[in-house]
Amino acid sequence: MKNSKTAIRRFLLVGFVCVATIALSGCTKQKADDFVKEQLEKVQAGDDATAEFLLEQGIEKVDGDYVTAFPEELKEAYCTFIKEACGKVQFHMIEAEKYNSGYKVRLEITPVDVRETVNTTDDAYVRELQSANLTNEVTALLEKDASLLEDAKMADSEKVTLYLKKKDSGYQIEESDWENCMASLLTGYMAPYQHVAEILDAGDYLKAYLDASCKGEVAQYAKHVGMTEEEVLQQYEESFTDVNLGDMEFTPEQETRFLNAMKQMFKNCQYEIGVPRKNEADGYLIPVKTTPNLSLAQCGTAFQTAATNGNYSTVEEVKEGYLSTMEEFAASPVYGEETSMDVNLPKGMMMFIGNSDSDVNKLLDLIMPSSE
């Protein structure tokens, strides 16, 4: 996939340079440095091929950072933003000289530091996200950030060398040189996307974790943690088989009934992830709405009451009573009143999930209390 994207962007840029060369037909007296200057001025004016090249290059760099892929429908708005940023790039020619059968043009480029330009605005924006729609939120943020480009912060200047071939119709810049030149125009230009994607990815991670833990739906969580679905599913199964049953010794058939009832109880859990935001500790604040599933707690109470009342006279009756009670609550869940909780999820969130004091474990206790 990466090779195909590289081929696409090279095609775009080669096409740009070819068009520029054709446009110079009959202008063979134009100097090499004037030719380069003309091409850069076209980029500053808003060149589609350059914007598409930079976006594809940027997507490749951040592609593995988030589970959700860069939305196709976001590309047009992002290319528009890139073109506006390119319009603020500064450059000046240093020298042009003959080199072998062509020319060598040296210039200095002062790139726009997009991240530094937008960082404060973006940080405030992601603390108050209005929705979990990645395309809508990034598009809205790009509109805000575009206004900041009037006072864009510049990165350190760097010198670039371009090698040109002389053609009958004009000049042609070496493909790799032009790519390197275009890659030097902007720094940190994927920041608006990254600021939003990081926050929404955290919300998706929490939902994926709950889906895997409660419902055995492991596909999305496996993507987040870099494991296979089979590996995550094994962890899910072990979370039930590791349950301490005390002195209760089940037959294989009874153990299957117990596991099925327990799994069904957790599958009956209800929760809804709200719009995540960045918190003050540089982590994530994720609102979760839940209607607590009281089945497990009431199941324990109902069984204990029956046992206290002397409903069971043998060990087998105790085990049957326990399993039957579980199966009843699994089939007909009991819920409390809807409530909500703000979950603080630190960066490096996967490291904190197992912490008994973490908000995630408190949330699980709220979704499915073990006692009344």
Side-chain angles (χ1 to χ4, degrees):
M1 181 64 72
K2 181 174 289 189
N3 289 337
S4 64
K5 288 181 178 178
T6 301
I8 290 171
R9 72 167 187 255
R10 282 183 174 171
F11 172 78
L12 291 170
L13 285 179
V14 170
F16 173 81
V17 177
C18 286
V19 169
T21 303
I22 293 171
L24 286 168
S25 178
C27 301
T28 54
K29 292 183 179 181
Q30 185 181 36
K31 295 180 180 180
D33 54 345
D34 288 338
F35 170 78
V36 172
K37 182 180 178 181
E38 183 176 293
Q39 308 321 306
L40 289 172
E41 286 174 345
K42 289 179 181 179
V43 171
Q44 286 181 314
D47 172 60
D48 290 336
T50 301
E52 290 169 18
F53 162 72
L54 289 174
L55 180 57
E56 290 300 330
Q57 189 178 63
I59 291 173
E60 281 190 20
K61 289 180 180 178
V62 302
D63 200 34
D65 295 343
Y66 315 107
V67 167
T68 303
F70 190 96
E72 190 68 29
E73 57 272 22
L74 179 57
K75 289 184 176 181
E76 183 177 351
Y78 222 99
C79 280
T80 298
F81 175 76
I82 288 174
K83 284 190 283 188
E84 292 184 34
C86 285
K88 306 304 177 183
V89 175
Q90 300 170 6
F91 67 90
H92 78 267
M93 299 297 162
I94 298 175
E95 63 178 357
E97 59 183 348
K98 286 190 175 182
Y99 182 82
N100 293 335
S101 59
Y103 291 85
K104 179 169 68 173
V105 178
R106 295 180 65 238
L107 63 149
E108 184 175 76
I109 293 178
T110 305
V112 174
D113 190 334
V114 176
R115 182 179 296 279
E116 188 64 25
T117 300
V118 306
N119 200 49
T120 301
T121 297
D122 287 11
D123 186 69
Y125 186 87
V126 296
R127 294 184 190 278
E128 300 294 339
L129 284 180
Q130 298 301 303
S131 77
N133 187 302
L134 179 59
T135 298
N136 290 349
E137 292 299 331
V138 176
T139 300
L141 183 55
L142 289 173
E143 291 176 2
K144 287 180 175 290
D145 288 346
S147 65
L148 302 175
L149 294 173
E150 289 301 321
D151 298 308
K153 299 184 185 302
M154 310 306 289
D156 293 336
S157 300
E158 55 182 287
K159 292 179 173 60
V160 175
T161 300
L162 298 175
Y163 293 91
L164 285 67
K165 294 178 181 178
K166 190 73 168 65
K167 301 290 185 178
D168 291 339
S169 56
Y171 300 97
Q172 183 174 358
I173 302 172
E174 289 288 345
E175 178 186 331
S176 59
D177 291 345
W178 187 248
E179 281 196 14
N180 292 334
C181 181
M182 294 301 94
S184 303
L185 299 177
L186 307 174
T187 66
Y189 59 90
M190 295 303 292
Y193 172 74
Q194 290 173 293
H195 282 132
V196 177
E198 176 188 317
I199 304 298
L200 296 185
D201 207 56
D204 188 76
Y205 171 81
L206 180 58
K207 183 179 186 304
Y209 176 78
L210 293 175
D211 288 346
S213 300
C214 297
K215 303 179 185 297
E217 298 171 2
V218 302
Q220 195 70 358
Y221 184 69
K223 294 177 184 177
H224 276 282
V225 297
M227 299 171 65
T228 65
E229 292 185 28
E230 290 74 18
E231 289 170 333
V232 178
L233 195 58
Q234 182 179 349
Q235 290 185 351
Y236 168 76
E237 296 291 344
E238 289 174 352
S239 70
F240 291 100
T241 56
D242 289 344
V243 173
N244 184 2
L245 298 174
D247 296 330
M248 200 87 72
E249 295 184 4
F250 288 143
T251 64
E253 180 183 353
Q254 290 171 329
E255 184 174 344
T256 298
R257 288 175 61 192
F258 168 79
L259 291 174
N260 288 341
M262 183 68 77
K263 289 178 183 178
Q264 187 57 51
M265 281 189 187
F266 275 90
K267 287 181 179 180
N268 293 334
C269 288
Q270 299 179 356
Y271 48 83
E272 180 181 338
I273 306 299
V275 180
R277 306 184 300 278
K278 191 174 182 180
N279 65 19
E280 296 301 325
D282 202 33
Y284 315 101
L285 187 67
I286 307 172
V288 181
K289 187 186 300 182
T290 181
T291 304
N293 185 348
L294 306 178
S295 302
L296 185 60
Q298 291 197 9
C299 170
T301 300
F303 170 72
Q304 192 62 46
T305 300
T308 301
N309 292 338
N311 292 8
Y312 314 124
S313 56
T314 67
V315 173
E316 285 305 312
E317 287 181 356
V318 170
K319 290 194 288 186
E320 181 59 34
Y322 183 70
L323 291 171
S324 297
T325 305
M326 286 190 66
E327 289 168 339
E328 289 174 10
F329 279 93
S332 302
V334 179
Y335 297 99
E337 294 185 3
E338 184 181 279
T339 186
S340 60
M341 174 182 174
D342 284 338
V343 176
N344 280 286
L345 205 60
K347 280 193 173 181
M349 47 205 163
M350 287 168 280
M351 297 168 53
F352 293 88
I353 287 295
N355 186 340
S356 60
D357 294 328
S358 73
D359 277 4
V360 175
N361 282 291
K362 293 175 184 176
L363 174 63
L364 286 172
D365 289 339
L366 181 63
I367 292 173
M368 174 77 97
S370 57
S371 60
E372 293 188 274

